[in-house]
Amino acid sequence: MKDLKKASPSQINHIAFIMDGNGRWAKQRLMPRLMGHKKGVETLKKVTEAVFERGIRHVSVYAFSSENKERPVEEVKNLVSLVKEYLKRELKNFVKNEIRLEFMGAIDYFPKDAQEIINDSIEKTAHFSEKVLNIALNYGAQDEIVRAVNLAKSTTHDITKEEFASFLYTKNLPPPDLIVRTGGDKRLSNFMLFQAAYAELFFLNTLWPDFNENELDDILSEFGNRQRRFGKV
Ligand code: IPE
Ligand code: IPE
Ligand code: MG
């Protein structure tokens, strides 16, 4: 019966954000796209802190998709630099606040120095279990599913969906209860296609750099009014 009750924010194990709209935020201000991405990193910091403050233990963010690699070389370079700066700057806070860092995506695409800081963030926070920040970098859900199929090939029996999930990048995370996309588009853009099966979806017109705690609270309260049926009656 418990699944049929209204959803409560205290039941949220995992919230995921598709952080979209940085470029348009900058364009509106006649600034280069990079400025939107910079402001977007500030929002990322504030929003993840707000999520953990509200007792939600797992937060995922879509920072760079496998398709984003096809953007102009300059923008890709800028995005990689911002990721490096963000991780270098925030690592001490992750450790202080006992946040475990996880990454999803093909990290081997990134230059060696970026991979080093990614691996450093993983290693220095690996012993934390209370709070998890999962960052999707060079991530595409279709690639993730194909990768899982290839990993699963080594098994000799027919696998269950739970076993299949253990071959996904998110093997240590519960499925997202909410997926929030800013920026006005109503699509998943190759994000968590397997994990999203019963996620509540929220699409906001707000551009990611403008997203704030008040809007997060509105989403959490709307989540509380939604009835999650999981296919039951
Ligand atoms: C999201 O903002 C950040 C990344 C995809 C890296 P965009 O860069 O997609 O911003 P818009 O959608 O062009 O406004
Ligand atoms: C989705 O945004 C990816 C990230 C937010 C990192 P995009 O801007 O890449 O998505 P599309 O191209 O509008 O679908
Ligand atoms: Mg976009």
Side-chain angles (χ1 to χ4, degrees):
M1 279 303 283
K2 86 176 194 305
D3 286 343
L4 307 182
K5 284 189 198 142
K6 278 187 175 180
S8 146
S10 65
Q11 294 164 354
I12 302 172
N13 289 313
H14 184 180
I15 183 167
F17 294 95
I18 300 175
M19 309 184 289
D20 197 24
N22 294 350
R24 279 163 285 166
W25 184 92
K27 194 171 178 206
Q28 283 175 358
R29 287 161 181 77
L30 307 175
M31 298 196 296
R33 292 176 61 84
L34 172 61
M35 299 312 286
H37 294 313
K38 281 194 170 165
K39 183 79 180 157
V41 176
E42 286 175 34
T43 304
L44 165 65
K45 181 171 157 59
K46 282 188 217 148
V47 170
T48 49
E49 282 169 5
V51 166
F52 290 132
E53 269 169 26
R54 282 154 183 75
I56 300 168
R57 292 179 44 209
H58 305 92
V59 51
S60 291
V61 293
Y62 202 6
F64 187 80
S65 75
S66 46
E67 289 77 22
N68 290 152
K69 290 200 291 291
E70 281 141 55
R71 291 187 178 194
V73 179
E74 188 65 20
E75 177 159 353
V76 173
K77 252 178 57 191
N78 285 339
L79 286 167
V80 174
S81 294
L82 281 180
V83 169
K84 281 192 316 199
E85 282 168 28
Y86 164 74
L87 291 175
K88 266 192 209 154
R89 195 176 57 236
E90 292 303 316
L91 183 52
K92 57 181 182 309
N93 290 327
F94 297 140
V95 172
K96 190 176 95 197
N97 298 318
E98 308 194 343
I99 296 166
R100 186 171 87 231
L101 266 281
E102 297 213 2
F103 294 86
M104 62 195 305
I107 299 303
D108 56 0
Y109 155 81
F110 293 104
K112 210 159 170 270
D113 59 342
Q115 288 189 47
E116 272 165 17
I117 172 76
I118 289 168
N119 289 327
D120 199 34
S121 322
I122 296 172
E123 280 161 27
K124 295 216 163 77
T125 63
H127 53 294
F128 300 128
S129 56
E130 245 351 83
K131 293 174 254 180
V132 179
L133 171 58
N134 174 42
I135 306 180
L137 287 177
N138 191 22
Y139 171 82
Q142 291 180 332
D143 287 345
E144 179 188 36
I145 291 167
V146 171
R147 174 180 173 272
V149 169
N150 285 320
L151 292 171
K153 270 193 207 155
S154 59
T155 56
T156 50
H157 56 284
D158 287 351
I159 62 167
T160 62
K161 62 175 187 277
E162 288 77 17
E163 266 181 288
F164 185 78
S166 77
F167 292 114
L168 298 172
Y169 290 118
T170 46
K171 59 179 184 294
N172 298 320
L173 300 175
D177 300 294
L178 296 82
I179 297 179
V180 179
R181 181 179 185 136
T182 58
D185 287 307
K186 296 179 179 65
R187 55 176 172 257
L188 291 175
S189 299
N190 205 8
F191 185 65
M192 288 203 186
L193 299 183
F194 185 90
Q195 300 87 335
Y198 274 101
E200 294 294 327
L201 305 180
F202 290 81
F203 296 101
L204 276 74
N205 289 327
T206 306
L207 304 173
W208 177 254
D210 290 326
F211 185 71
N212 60 33
E213 280 186 38
N214 295 337
E215 276 172 298
L216 174 66
D217 285 330
D218 289 346
I219 289 168
L220 298 182
S221 97
E222 190 190 322
F223 176 83
N225 287 324
R226 290 195 186 180
Q227 209 186 54
R228 303 182 83 190
R229 283 184 292 278
F230 299 97
K232 299 166 195 167
V233 289

